Amino acid sequence: MSTLRFNVIDEALKRKAVEVSAPADRASDYFGMKVFNEEKMRKYLPKKSYEALMETMQHGKSLSREIADSVASGMKQWAIEMGADHYTHWFQPLTGGTAEKHDAFVEYDGKGGMIEEFSGKLLIQQEPDASSFPSGGIRNTFEARGYSAWDATSPAFIVDTTLCIPTIFIAYTGEALDYKVPLLRSLQAVNKAAVEVCRYFDASVSKVNSYLGWEQEYFLVDEGLYAARPDMVLTGRTLLGHESAKNQQLEDHYFGTIPTRVMAFMKDLEYECWKLGIPVKTRHNEVAPNQFELAPIYEETNLANDHNLLVMLIMKKVARRHCFRVILHEKPFKGINGSGKHNNWSLGTDTGVNLLSPGKTPKDNLQFVAFLVNIMMAVYKRNGLLKASIASATNAHRLGANEAPPAIISIFLGRQISAVLDKLAASTKDEAIVFDEKSGLKMGGIAHIPELLIDNTDRNRTSPFAFTGNRFEFRAVGSSDNCGGAMTILNTAVADQLVEFKAEVDALMAKGETKEQAIFSVVKEYIKASAPIRFDGNGYTEEWKAEAAQRGLDCETSVPEIVGQYIAPSNTDMFVRMGVLSSKELHARAEVKWETYTKKIQIEARVLGDLVMNHILPVASRYQSQLLDKVFKVKALFGEAQYQKIAAQDLALIEKMACHMEKLQTLTEQMVDARKVANKIENERQKAIIYHNTVAEAFDAIRYHADKLEEVVDNEMWPLPKYRELLFVR
Ligand code: ADP
Ligand code: MG
């Protein structure tokens, strides 16, 4: 009898919603209370330090040691008043997630006692013992030094009793070992390139920011049920499990009423987020049972990304208080939707213009079209690389499966924008470049794009990169990803494209064309050149796969192969040109991605093997033996002549089970053998490819037979919580 499974179901059913109340009536009263934000800087820092720090935050000026000491002292005072007793440099290693090593504020005071100490030196830079973080070969173990250094553009905050200082993480030799360094570099690159292009339209623009609004999807599973699933505990997903008779087919979960226990969790999570200055705004049920979403108001990309990483961390903590586990895996359950993290992205100027929003005047519209078309070119040229930015062993279950996103990157523009671009591309030069002081610029006879934009809700859920009225939505990012990976590639690709655009426009102007004429010519040329990336149809169809291949888009589906994009010469050149990643750093990143891929599949393979051998087969045998026992008794009672007829069903079932059990055992042994072969390969790329082609390849067939057994084995004996319990008991 499977008592554990029934016990955890019982416990789960007894749990009540844990109500937690907000620190104050209104969110605005406690928003940011745990953040060393501008308000606290003004309060806790001398004027001179405050001003210097603002300069650093806004214009990237470096901080002197003296100012750093003063900032550290103010920060420490605030943190101690808030009850903090430790501090940590909080960084984003290539393993994913975040890392932290806590140190207490205490130091000897030299008189036999202790004082609370936190110097500018400790604020600015630290040397965590970093030898265990992946570096892709950048750091030799004998030179395992890595430094974390304060990113003053993202404010410090307090979690529990620890002051967390957002930092970058670099090797002793200066190479990036994290997600933040390249992200910051890419933001600089896109700022520089975009400002130059903006100045064609408005000389007063001096900064362009990249904005990110992420939509975090997640599952909640009762902690008891979760604990009884070794696959969920060790791999974050279910490797086995027959589909529940009811799952998402009735579409009754999406935007449905939020269950009480979940609502209590969500409120608690929101309180925590608001205290940490994370502007979360939207919460709702997602498509799959027990799947939910949380989205904030968008922010500058670096801060938004820090906030997303923090949210993933806080979610896990808060879930524990409510006896839930948060599942951030991209595909925790077979047969229902997985989780992603749509990255809503845009560029905006310090003059308050969203460059992806059609403007009021024809001049604004030309600027809008110029940026739109450059982004299309960038995504077109780097479609394979963008896919690499979101490719992982876990996200691979969504890529290419029939749910967003398809494994081919394409852009959805919507009917109206498409029509505008097509008209522009087809317009004759004379039509297109009339510049009339009164009515402004006539874009091929369509001067007023805003009036055309009635239908922003024109949406295509199958598109991995969709224009949604005033931003692009990169939907292929995985739910557990650090958005920094995708955002670095996108911003770098756009920066590189804008630099090229400017060079082309300048060259035409040098030949005597007016600025408008020149911009128009290049824009028209880009609309035509980037046409293959535009796709408004259903991205899930087989026809699209065939057509995309014909259009020359990247259709690779094997994650280890996709990762190779990082070191493809044209991509390496771009990263180097934009100063975002060096060739050495790129090779290291690809190595880490291959290594991580292999390890994840290796762990899954081991867990699957153990589950089959220790959980499924023994229980199936026991049930089969009960049936056999019965057949023997039937035979004893009814005799040779009749027993076969009387026990016909049992005999058929015994045989059916024997067949699945035999297959299950053989396939599992073959997978273990394949793993042993793959483990001997030294080259990380090759190893990952073989893991993909032989080990991961075997999972589905193994699962098939295990799930078939689940269908027939006595429910009372089945040891693992079933899908219908994991997804519906709460
Ligand atoms: P959906 O309808 O796609 O589910 P939401 O309305 O929930 O989307 O918003 C998605 C996210 O897009 C939010 O985080 C929102 O702040 C963000 N967003 C809105 N406008 C922009 C923009 N201009 N740039 C970046 N993100 C934006
Ligand atoms: Mg969205």
Side-chain angles (χ1 to χ4, degrees):
M1 278 277 274
S2 170
T3 46
L4 174 63
R5 178 169 144 242
F6 290 101
N7 283 346
V8 295
I9 294 171
D10 272 356
E11 275 169 35
L13 287 170
K14 278 188 225 133
R15 285 195 237 281
K16 299 258 178 315
V18 182
E19 296 295 345
V20 179
S21 48
D25 287 348
R26 287 180 307 188
S28 54
D29 290 336
Y30 59 91
F31 186 83
M33 68 182 273
K34 292 193 166 190
V35 184
F36 195 63
N37 54 18
E38 255 188 76
E39 179 202 330
K40 275 124 203 172
M41 288 172 194
R42 227 175 294 127
K43 187 167 163 203
Y44 286 87
L45 303 182
K47 191 155 182 281
K48 193 173 141 217
S49 311
Y50 168 76
E51 280 163 2
L53 184 55
M54 291 315 272
E55 272 295 295
T56 304
M57 290 173 71
Q58 282 155 10
H59 306 288
K61 296 247 168 66
S62 68
L63 273 188
S64 73
R65 180 60 193 281
E66 185 198 343
I67 297 290
D69 274 333
S70 151
V71 172
S73 156
M75 206 186 268
K76 182 193 69 184
Q77 192 198 334
W78 167 74
I80 290 173
E81 282 174 23
M82 291 291 292
D85 45 24
H86 283 69
Y87 64 92
T88 183
H89 275 197
W90 187 71
F91 58 99
Q92 308 171 15
L94 295 174
T95 35
T98 49
E100 48 197 89
K101 184 191 92 181
H102 299 193
D103 283 303
F105 284 128
V106 291
E107 283 295 338
Y108 286 122
D109 65 359
K111 298 174 208 141
M114 288 286 204
I115 53 159
E116 268 74 34
E117 183 56 60
F118 183 54
S119 66
K121 182 165 163 274
L122 293 173
L123 167 66
I124 289 183
Q125 185 179 315
Q126 272 192 46
E127 193 189 328
D129 175 16
S131 50
S132 305
F133 290 105
S135 74
I138 279 183
R139 263 178 352 223
N140 300 315
T141 14
F142 62 87
E143 206 184 57
R145 280 146 72 183
Y147 290 104
S148 55
W150 184 29
D151 166 21
T153 57
S154 182
F157 54 89
I158 295 172
V159 174
D160 296 330
T161 59
T162 302
L163 171 68
C164 302
I165 297 147
T167 56
I168 58 165
F169 184 42
I170 53 171
Y172 175 58
T173 40
E175 283 90 4
L177 295 174
D178 69 354
Y179 280 102
K180 200 187 241 291
V181 169
L183 178 63
L184 289 171
R185 291 179 187 153
S186 76
L187 295 174
Q188 266 173 25
V190 82
N191 168 33
K192 186 159 174 281
V195 163
E196 301 242 314
V197 172
C198 283
R199 285 191 178 148
Y200 284 137
F201 305 92
D202 179 358
S204 69
V205 171
S206 63
K207 178 137 196 242
V208 170
N209 275 320
S210 157
Y211 293 102
L212 166 63
W214 41 263
E215 300 164 58
Q216 180 72 53
E217 293 181 334
Y218 61 95
F219 279 85
L220 287 176
V221 172
D222 180 86
E223 69 177 11
L225 295 162
Y226 171 92
R229 292 281 316 209
D231 47 355
M232 298 201 87
V233 173
L234 297 177
T235 72
R237 72 172 177 119
T238 55
L239 297 168
L240 302 170
H242 195 275
E243 274 182 42
S244 167
K246 174 185 190 285
N247 47 46
Q248 65 187 40
Q249 62 275 63
L250 295 177
E251 291 172 358
D252 51 355
H253 194 256
Y254 191 58
F255 284 11
T257 314
I258 300 170
T260 332
R261 232 181 108 196
V262 174
M263 187 54 130
F265 158 80
M266 284 181 171
K267 282 186 186 167
D268 197 2
L269 176 61
E270 284 170 351
Y271 301 151
E272 293 300 332
C273 287
W274 290 331
K275 282 190 267 181
L276 285 162
I278 306 170
V280 294
K281 187 174 168 72
T282 308
R283 61 183 189 208
H284 61 80
N285 284 8
E286 257 304 327
V287 172
N290 268 2
Q291 191 187 28
F292 308 94
E293 183 183 296
L294 178 69
I297 300 170
Y298 69 91
E299 300 174 285
E300 184 278 319
T301 296
N302 176 44
L303 182 62
N305 191 41
D306 281 0
H307 279 168
N308 178 246
L309 289 161
L310 190 51
V311 159
M312 292 197 281
L313 213 78
I314 299 297
M315 271 182 156
K316 290 181 188 163
K317 278 184 201 262
V318 173
R320 300 294 284 264
R321 290 208 281 265
H322 297 260
C323 301
F324 279 128
R325 290 303 181 109
V326 165
I327 314 290
L328 293 176
H329 193 289
E330 283 76 6
K331 191 76 180 174
F333 304 101
K334 194 184 156 194
I336 55 173
N337 278 14
S339 301
K341 182 151 54 197
H342 293 181
N343 278 206
N344 294 270
W345 170 88
S346 66
L347 294 172
T349 66
D350 57 350
T351 54
V353 175
N354 174 356
L355 295 165
L356 292 183
S357 194
K360 295 244 180 321
T361 68
K363 190 184 80 181
D364 288 345
N365 277 335
L366 181 58
Q367 177 169 275
F368 160 69
V369 169
F371 273 91
L372 185 80
V373 168
N374 270 289
I375 293 163
M376 286 163 55
M377 273 300 265
V379 173
Y380 173 49
K381 287 186 194 161
R382 311 292 165 189
N383 71 87
L385 181 61
L386 274 166
K387 187 162 66 183
S389 77
I390 53 92
S392 66
T394 51
N395 207 15
H397 300 281
R398 293 172 70 233
L399 281 174
N402 263 7
E403 61 179 78
I408 300 159
I409 302 294
S410 63
I411 294 183
F412 170 80
L413 288 175
R415 220 166 354 101
Q416 286 157 328
I417 298 288
S418 273
V420 168
L421 294 189
D422 292 342
K423 201 158 178 194
L424 269 181
S427 63
T428 66
K429 209 162 185 163
D430 290 339
E431 264 182 310
I433 54 163
V434 183
F435 194 83
D436 175 332
E437 277 306 319
K438 272 194 222 113
S439 68
L441 184 71
K442 288 204 176 61
M443 290 193 178
I446 33 167
H448 300 291
I449 300 176
E451 280 165 18
L452 274 172
L453 280 177
I454 349 156
D455 188 14
N456 282 344
T457 55
D458 178 11
R459 295 204 166 181
N460 178 333
R461 289 285 166 193
T462 71
S463 178
F465 204 91
F467 184 68
T468 46
N470 62 357
R471 61 192 188 265
F472 273 101
E473 196 168 320
F474 190 20
R475 302 191 179 126
V477 184
S479 47
S480 67
D481 272 342
N482 180 324
C483 303
M487 289 294 103
T488 298
I489 309 283
L490 181 58
N491 286 303
T492 307
V494 169
D496 191 52
Q497 180 54 50
L498 289 170
V499 169
E500 193 175 318
F501 173 73
K502 174 139 198 314
E504 290 189 52
V505 171
D506 287 351
L508 290 179
M509 282 163 67
K511 284 194 200 138
E513 289 199 19
T514 67
K515 188 170 71 186
E516 285 77 16
Q517 276 174 333
I519 293 173
F520 239 118
S521 308
V522 181
V523 160
K524 272 179 62 171
E525 185 196 310
Y526 282 6
I527 295 173
K528 289 178 196 150
S530 66
I533 198 75
R534 280 166 62 184
F535 179 63
D536 287 6
N538 182 350
Y540 298 161
T541 61
E542 287 305 313
E543 295 83 70
W544 167 233
K545 282 183 201 159
E547 190 187 327
Q550 261 186 355
R551 291 187 186 188
L553 299 180
D554 190 299
C555 297
E556 182 59 61
T557 56
S558 156
V559 169
E561 299 282 5
I562 295 170
V563 167
Q565 287 282 346
Y566 277 92
I567 50 172
S570 87
N571 290 335
T572 310
D573 289 351
M574 173 191 77
F575 282 116
V576 172
R577 224 172 17 239
M578 289 295 103
V580 172
L581 286 163
S582 68
S583 169
K584 190 174 170 191
E585 287 170 321
L586 287 161
H587 276 87
R589 248 148 242 266
E591 286 283 304
V592 172
K593 284 191 182 275
W594 284 317
E595 215 180 306
T596 309
Y597 179 87
T598 297
K599 284 182 183 160
K600 291 226 160 134
I601 302 296
Q602 189 178 54
I603 293 168
E604 290 193 341
R606 287 184 182 147
V607 175
L608 183 59
D610 291 350
L611 283 177
V612 166
M613 302 311 284
N614 305 329
H615 288 67
I616 311 300
L617 285 175
V619 169
S621 286
R622 219 182 314 150
Y623 181 58
Q624 196 191 34
S625 134
Q626 275 187 9
L627 294 171
L628 278 165
D629 194 48
K630 179 182 163 198
V631 172
F632 266 92
K633 288 173 180 158
V634 171
K635 193 172 172 183
L637 204 62
F638 295 92
E640 192 72 47
Q642 283 195 64
Y643 95 93
Q644 293 227 6
K645 195 169 143 238
I646 294 174
Q649 308 286 353
D650 301 304
L651 286 166
L653 189 50
I654 289 165
E655 206 178 313
K656 185 174 170 185
M657 288 184 71
C659 179
H660 286 307
M661 287 159 74
E662 191 272 321
K663 276 271 169 29
L664 192 53
Q665 180 148 358
T666 319
L667 288 169
T668 304
E669 282 163 7
Q670 282 169 2
M671 178 196 65
V672 173
D673 289 342
R675 205 169 72 212
K676 284 182 185 150
V677 173
N679 285 344
K680 294 211 178 71
I681 302 170
E682 297 264 327
N683 178 287
E684 290 294 351
R685 175 176 175 273
Q686 204 52 37
K687 191 173 184 174
I689 289 175
I690 298 300
Y691 253 96
H692 170 270
N693 294 349
T694 64
V695 183
E697 185 64 26
F699 291 175
D700 279 350
I702 295 175
R703 175 179 194 142
Y704 172 80
H705 294 287
D707 291 355
K708 281 286 169 198
L709 287 168
E710 182 183 328
E711 261 188 319
V712 295
V713 169
D714 180 2
N715 183 52
E716 298 241 325
M717 286 185 172
W718 198 255
L720 303 169
K722 297 186 172 185
Y723 268 32
R724 61 171 189 247
E725 292 145 7
L726 292 167
L727 292 170
F728 292 95
V729 175
R730 60 189 165 225

